[in-house]
Every structure is written in structure tokens, then in C-alpha cells.
Amino acid sequence: MTTSKTPREVVMHTVAVAALTLSAGGYAFTANAADVGTAKPRILVLATGGTIASTGDARSAIGYNAGGVTGEQLTASVPGLDKLASIKAEQISNIGSQDMNSKVWYQLAARIKQAFERNEADGVVITHGTDTMEETAFFLDNVLTTPQPVVLVGSMRPSTAVSADGPGNLYEAVEVAASPQSGHRGVLVVMNDTIHAPRWVTKTNTTSVQTFGNPNGGPLGYVDPASVRYLLPPAAARKAPLNVPNGGLPRVDIVYAHADMDAGQIDDAVRHNAKGIVLAGVGDGNASKAALDALEAAAKRGVVVVRASRVGSGFVNRNVEVSDDKTGFVVAYDLNPQKARVLTQLLIGNGVTTADKVQKAFDATY
């Protein structure tokens, strides 16, 4: 007895076989847009605002106001997008990503799960501001397990700019989300012809279109209007997800280390009932004696203390200049302070609060 396949299933099977054949020879597989076949994948675009949905402002030559353009307007303005996929756009929020918050994260996670459970879409694209895109991507990557692609995209220039980068970025994000190669890879970030993983990607420049980089790793792949190229196959297994905590994420503060630092930031975080504190430390996650003493006192009171670094690249390792075993600190390894904060929030929200268990969870991010 034979079972008939839909046109998209036939295409995905053919592409998967081709990928295995080529990967056996040690080559990265390339899927051309012409190979996708006649059955267009269904892509749900969830718009949250950001520069990609912004309009110019006369206050300066490069001034703009984030948000203002809807998801439907944004997708309708990109030539050829409807040829890549069947597009449905929904507005989740319309804010600058400096105002991104856990409420929107919860809405995104819930809508994505719903869309895939109801078979409404073959992939999801999230339009987002670049300032906090890495945090949203990292949050979603830790709570979602769907094999379907989830792709975040943004822009560095407003939609009204002469050389706006948003339309090209959105086109390529949809192209990646529509590619059979993109399944089982977790959440992805697409910007400036490059595909990134949330675990590694970070914003590195205030205004350049080449802002997203991977200081301790490299990109997952590359995309152009004709092709999607991954450098490696999907991981054999993905880590178990963390539950989205009921009642919201707990308060976790980031304190920034600097010369002549006292205990003020730490004491203030404790007074405001922070359940966790992430140190954006100097060098390998270090701080002044006064700050470290205050952090140790906080850890003894049950506050989860995580040492990260303000440097931007490199690893924070245990028990180098600081006696983490003695103080009860956790180290973030190469997670930057903002991602270490997100993971700490999720862990505390899932009942993981002791230093040894939190550290094991940070270990498991690899």
C-alpha cells in the first residue's frame, strides 16, 4: 500500500535526500529558490515593531521613529515576497525594541506554538528591532521545541530611508523560513545575508547594517535572493526546553562593573527583591572587592548570582580570580550579560535556584 504525499512533502523529501547525499561528501548543501517547487510554504509573519517598521523623522538626517508601519504594510511593500510563500501577517506589538518586554515574549511563544499545533503555518518570521533582538531570540530558543523554522529579522535603517535594508532582510528571512533546510535548527536570526544562532549572535555596531556578529563562534549559514546555504547540518538532538513560567519572569538585575565600584548597585538590587543578579564584570567577570563581597552576601541570602563579562568576547570560567565554589557564584561562560539574565530568569521561574543546578543548566547550553 502506498501513501500519497502533498507537493510540499515531495519537495522536502527530495531536498532532504539531496542534502544527505551532498553532506556525505563533506559539502555544504545549497537549495535554490527554483527547487522549492510549485506548492508555496505558508509563512506567518508576527510583527513587533522596531526600525524595520519605522518612519523617518526630520529632527536629523538619520532620525526615525520606531514602529508606525504595520506588519501587513511591511510585507506588502516587499517585491516578490508573495512568490516565495503564502504570507499572513499579524501584529503582536508595534514598539521600539528598547521597550521589548516579557509580556510580548509570552505572546510570541504562545502564538507560535498555537500556529504550529493548529497547522496554520510551515514557518514563522518575527519582525523585530535590533537592540534587543538577541534577547528575544534567545528566550524563544529556550522555550520552543517545534521543528519548524522560527526566524527573527530586523533592519538598521528606517523603511523610508533611501537605502533601507529592511525589505531585503525581510525577503531573505522569509526565504530562510520557507526553506526545507531550516527545520530542526531552533530559532534563527537573519540579517544582512547571514543566518545566525541565538546562542552566539550579538549586536556589535550602533548603526552599521553589518551589526550582527558571533564573537565566539561563526554564522550558521548565508542567504541571498537565490539560495540558502548552511555550513553545517542540523544538530542531531536539541536540548530539552524550559517551560514558560506561570505568572511571569522573576526579577533579575544586571549590575555593571567599573573602576572605583562600590556595593551600591548590588545592595539596591537586593532591596528591590531581585531573585537574581548578573554581574557584567570587568575582564573575566571580575569586580572590586566591595562589589564581590556584596554579591557573596546576596548569594548567601538566596539570590542567584551569575558572573558574566562586559568585554564582548571570550569566556568567564569558574575559580580563576574569583573563588566561585566558596562564594556560591555561577559563571556564564561566553553568554553575554543580557542573555545570561534571560537564562537566569527562566531557570528561577522553573524552580532551579541552587548554584550547582543553575551552573549545570548554563553548562547545558552547549
Side-chain angles (χ1 to χ4, degrees):
M1 176 179 178
T2 58
T3 303
S4 61
K5 292 184 172 66
T6 66
R8 176 162 173 77
E9 288 173 331
V10 172
V11 170
M12 291 184 72
H13 174 75
T14 303
V15 171
V17 171
L20 288 172
T21 302
L22 286 175
S23 63
Y27 296 98
F29 174 63
T30 301
N32 294 314
D35 295 332
V36 175
T38 57
K40 292 190 293 187
R42 303 160 300 161
I43 302 300
L44 174 63
V45 176
L46 301 178
T48 68
T51 303
I52 194 170
S54 66
T55 54
D57 189 283
R59 61 178 168 262
S60 75
I62 57 174
Y64 66 89
N65 298 306
V69 177
T70 68
E72 288 187 349
Q73 291 171 325
L74 195 60
T75 55
S77 70
V78 180
L81 200 62
D82 59 340
K83 293 181 173 61
L84 283 177
S86 296
I87 303 294
K88 178 184 178 184
E90 295 180 8
Q91 201 75 38
I92 300 295
S93 65
N94 209 354
I95 57 177
S97 67
Q98 69 272 14
D99 289 319
M100 185 52 60
N101 54 76
S102 58
K103 179 181 178 181
V104 177
W105 289 352
Y106 275 50
Q107 290 175 313
L108 286 170
R111 184 64 185 102
I112 292 166
K113 288 181 180 178
Q114 181 187 63
F116 290 144
E117 287 171 356
R118 294 181 178 178
N119 193 27
E120 297 177 38
D122 300 306
V124 169
V125 170
I126 301 168
T127 60
H128 197 289
T130 58
D131 286 349
T132 57
M133 184 186 292
E134 64 196 81
E135 291 162 77
T136 300
F138 188 67
F139 171 84
L140 293 173
D141 198 45
N142 276 281
V143 300
L144 296 176
T145 57
T146 54
Q148 298 94 332
V150 176
V151 181
L152 277 82
V153 66
S155 75
M156 293 300 293
R157 294 171 180 166
S159 62
T160 52
V162 173
S163 55
D165 56 326
N169 286 342
L170 181 54
Y171 184 96
E172 292 180 347
V174 170
E175 185 181 5
V176 169
S179 171
Q181 293 188 82
S182 299
H184 299 280
R185 293 183 182 272
V187 177
L188 303 169
V189 173
V190 171
M191 287 280 293
N192 205 39
D193 303 337
T194 310
I195 308 169
H196 303 278
R199 178 67 180 74
W200 306 103
V201 72
T202 192
K203 187 172 182 178
T204 65
N205 190 281
T206 56
T207 56
S208 171
V209 295
Q210 183 61 26
T211 185
F212 279 94
N214 302 267
N216 294 304
L220 291 181
Y222 299 94
V223 55
D224 58 45
S227 59
V228 176
R229 296 181 173 92
Y230 285 99
L231 303 179
L232 294 170
R238 299 241 315 136
K239 63 182 181 297
L242 291 165
N243 293 322
V244 177
N246 293 327
L249 295 175
R251 176 170 180 153
V252 174
D253 289 355
I254 298 174
V255 299
Y256 197 88
H258 53 81
D260 201 26
M261 183 182 187
D262 60 21
Q265 295 181 67
I266 296 107
D267 292 342
D268 186 68
V270 173
R271 278 196 302 271
H272 284 87
N273 298 314
K275 304 302 180 184
I277 297 174
V278 175
L279 172 68
V282 296
D284 60 350
N286 212 336
S288 68
K289 184 179 184 305
L292 291 176
D293 287 346
L295 288 170
E296 184 175 2
K300 288 179 178 177
R301 294 180 58 173
V303 177
V304 177
V305 175
V306 179
R307 293 195 301 113
S309 177
R310 71 180 197 181
V311 172
S313 65
F315 285 69
V316 176
N317 293 298
R318 289 188 64 81
N319 300 315
V320 180
E321 290 186 86
V322 178
S323 299
D324 297 296
D325 291 342
K326 173 180 174 292
T327 56
F329 296 163
V330 174
V331 298
Y333 300 124
D334 63 314
L335 280 180
N336 60 26
Q338 54 268 36
K339 290 180 190 174
R341 174 182 176 267
V342 173
L343 183 54
T344 303
Q345 286 181 297
L346 281 169
L347 291 171
I348 296 172
N350 277 270
V352 181
T353 58
T354 62
D356 59 336
K357 291 181 179 180
V358 174
Q359 188 66 74
K360 286 179 181 178
F362 272 81
D363 295 344
T365 57
Y366 287 96

